Amino acid sequence: MSGTVGQVIHCKAAVAWEAGKPLVIEQVEVAPPQAMEVRLKILYTSLCHTDVYFWEAKGQHPLFPRIYGHEAGGIVESVGEGVTDLKPGDHVLPIFTGECKECAHCKSEESNMCDLLRINTDRGVMLSDGKSRFSIKGQPIYHFLGTSTFSEYTVAHVGCVTKINPLAPLDKVCVISCGISTGLGAMVNVAKPPKGSTVAVFGLGAVGLAAAEGARIAGASRIIGVDLNPSRFEGAKKFGVTEFVNPKDHKKPVQEVIAEMTNGGVDRSVECTGNVDAMISAFECVHDGWGVAVLVGVPHKDAVFKTHPINLLNERTLKGTFFGNYKPRSDIPSVVEKYMNKELEVEKFITHQVPFSEINKAFDYMLRGEGLRCIISMEE
Ligand SMILES: [Zn+2]
Ligand SMILES: [Zn+2]
């Protein structure tokens, strides 16, 4: 790889030229990393709902042409000036949010919301100079979430790149860079269910199932899965979900159904759909005296959370979390280790695999709601 250091790399990338239109594999130029940046060779990437949401560009500010992708695994090709934490050959996961290690949030043990590198879905350029590192015959192509992993090579800020165990298989642990850590961390870092406790998980997509997996790892004795789609119930059993509630099957609010099933409420609940009514149910279904509800799903911009304050006075706790409260560089290597020591099972999240040339199939699977994660292999 040393032959490419300091040079523009010509490689393949899947470019989104227009909202909702299939990606096109193009020959792109990837500029060398500038100060505090690293250039990565991406080996595997997977598709997450956030990519699809911004590719569809319904509602948000559209930014095209753009290279999407933020769940991935790769190897450092070269590093820019001032980078001391990473060197060529390191195995890494790029992360859609960052950790500068300097700001008040990074210095706080309680926060992972870095001032400098916190997720910014509107930014399509690098922080240092406001320019893109991608181009096609001189035309700049925008970045996405500072990661843009649907490319054989990409450039990221060093604060958005996590160095991991080189023995970890990148075709598996790439899924740890977003969805799995978000759900798992919400459960193990924020909800913290005691051993033997009863837990409810709202939404049984990849993030909700990762939360269930966290409850299973924590030793919860009952894990109640709540979803409007009953076809998800059978598959959720693999993630430790023991009981299912479909709100459509009941006349009364789902929080009342759950309270009846659990003699007053669950000990912990985690909400992963972003639907505000589900958020309210997830809060009101926890037991008074000790119950904790954690919100993970991103709500509609106009949503308002309403509950009677007595629900809080009766010693229920409501919390929210971002990226499972994990600090990308400090904490994510330990999630990879959980996989390496067989505590966390990531294989069961991986339901499809396609070569890079067929990346649009991964979008089709997700749009049809088929499976959980599709791994896209860059080396065909
Ligand atoms: Zn994601
Ligand atoms: Zn910071």
Side-chain angles (χ1 to χ4, degrees):
M1 279 194 226
S2 55
T4 53
V5 173
Q7 309 286 317
V8 170
I9 290 179
H10 298 260
C11 69
K12 279 187 269 179
V15 177
W17 291 99
E18 275 181 78
K21 294 276 165 64
L23 307 187
V24 182
I25 305 281
E26 303 275 8
Q27 194 74 18
V28 299
E29 297 106 43
V30 185
Q34 301 301 302
M36 300 310 283
E37 295 174 1
V38 292
R39 189 161 58 184
L40 310 177
K41 180 177 170 62
I42 299 296
L43 297 182
Y44 299 93
T45 183
S46 51
L47 182 65
C48 168
H49 280 106
T50 309
D51 298 307
V52 175
Y53 181 77
F54 284 91
W55 165 74
E56 288 184 322
K58 292 175 184 162
Q60 351 75 7
H61 177 64
L63 203 56
F64 294 94
R66 204 171 197 185
I67 297 173
Y68 288 95
H70 63 284
E71 277 194 4
I75 296 177
V76 176
E77 175 268 340
S78 61
V79 303
E81 200 189 310
V83 174
T84 53
D85 285 17
L86 292 170
K87 58 181 189 312
D90 283 345
H91 287 219
V92 294
L93 304 182
I95 312 275
F96 65 91
T97 186
E99 180 184 355
C100 75
K101 298 195 178 184
E102 310 275 334
C103 73
H105 285 272
C106 286
K107 286 184 171 159
S108 160
E109 281 187 14
E110 297 179 314
S111 174
N112 66 342
M113 302 196 66
C114 175
D115 275 331
L116 182 71
L117 301 167
R118 185 185 305 181
I119 185 172
N120 182 338
T121 57
D122 293 332
R123 190 170 59 228
V125 294
M126 299 306 289
L127 268 181
S128 63
D129 58 3
K131 289 186 182 150
S132 173
R133 301 287 172 264
F134 296 109
S135 59
I136 296 179
K137 297 187 184 92
Q139 177 188 5
I141 310 295
Y142 291 114
H143 293 249
F144 180 61
L145 302 185
T147 51
S148 291
T149 59
F150 296 162
S151 176
E152 291 177 313
Y153 287 86
T154 191
V155 176
H157 191 284
V158 66
C160 300
V161 179
T162 297
K163 181 176 170 176
I164 61 162
N165 184 341
L167 299 176
L170 290 169
D171 59 335
K172 306 289 189 302
V173 300
C174 61
V175 298
I176 289 174
S177 53
C178 175
I180 306 310
S181 298
T182 296
L184 180 76
M187 190 63 78
V188 301
N189 297 335
V190 188
K192 297 182 184 168
K195 212 171 169 31
S197 58
T198 297
V199 170
V201 175
F202 286 69
L204 299 176
V207 174
L209 292 173
E213 177 77 354
R216 183 190 69 76
I217 292 169
S221 60
R222 292 176 72 187
I223 304 173
I224 301 170
V226 182
D227 203 295
L228 296 169
N229 180 357
S231 73
R232 286 176 154 178
F233 291 170
E234 189 54 38
K237 290 179 184 167
K238 274 192 285 188
F239 299 84
V241 181
T242 54
E243 292 150 80
F244 299 95
V245 175
N246 185 343
K248 283 192 209 158
D249 294 343
H250 301 274
K251 287 210 176 72
K252 60 181 97 170
V254 67
Q255 51 270 48
E256 286 178 29
V257 176
I258 292 173
E260 279 171 17
M261 289 168 70
T262 54
N263 199 19
V266 291
D267 303 308
R268 300 289 186 268
S269 77
V270 172
E271 203 295 317
C272 303
T273 73
N275 176 287
V276 72
D277 295 321
M279 290 178 167
I280 293 166
S281 299
F283 171 60
E284 294 183 353
C285 81
V286 301
H287 207 288
D288 58 358
W290 59 78
V292 179
V294 179
L295 306 185
V296 178
V298 180
H300 187 271
K301 64 180 175 40
D302 301 322
V304 176
F305 185 100
K306 275 174 85 172
T307 192
H308 198 285
I310 199 74
N311 291 323
L312 288 146
L313 301 182
N314 286 348
E315 302 181 354
R316 291 182 183 88
T317 302
L318 177 63
K319 294 183 172 189
T321 179
F322 167 68
F323 193 43
N325 271 42
Y326 287 119
K327 287 180 189 284
R329 297 158 88 187
S330 302
D331 301 334
I332 293 302
S334 71
V335 181
V336 171
E337 291 313 308
K338 271 194 208 307
Y339 167 74
M340 295 300 279
N341 66 30
K342 300 191 162 45
E343 208 185 331
L344 167 67
E345 299 167 10
V346 302
E347 282 87 352
K348 56 197 183 188
F349 291 94
I350 299 167
T351 50
H352 296 86
Q353 296 187 13
V354 295
F356 189 38
S357 56
E358 295 174 20
I359 188 170
N360 288 302
K361 277 192 185 166
F363 281 71
D364 294 340
Y365 296 136
M366 186 158 284
L367 291 169
R368 290 201 299 260
E370 261 177 52
L372 297 169
R373 279 294 183 268
C374 179
I375 304 292
I376 298 148
S377 168
M378 307 308 279
E379 291 183 327
E380 299 294 310

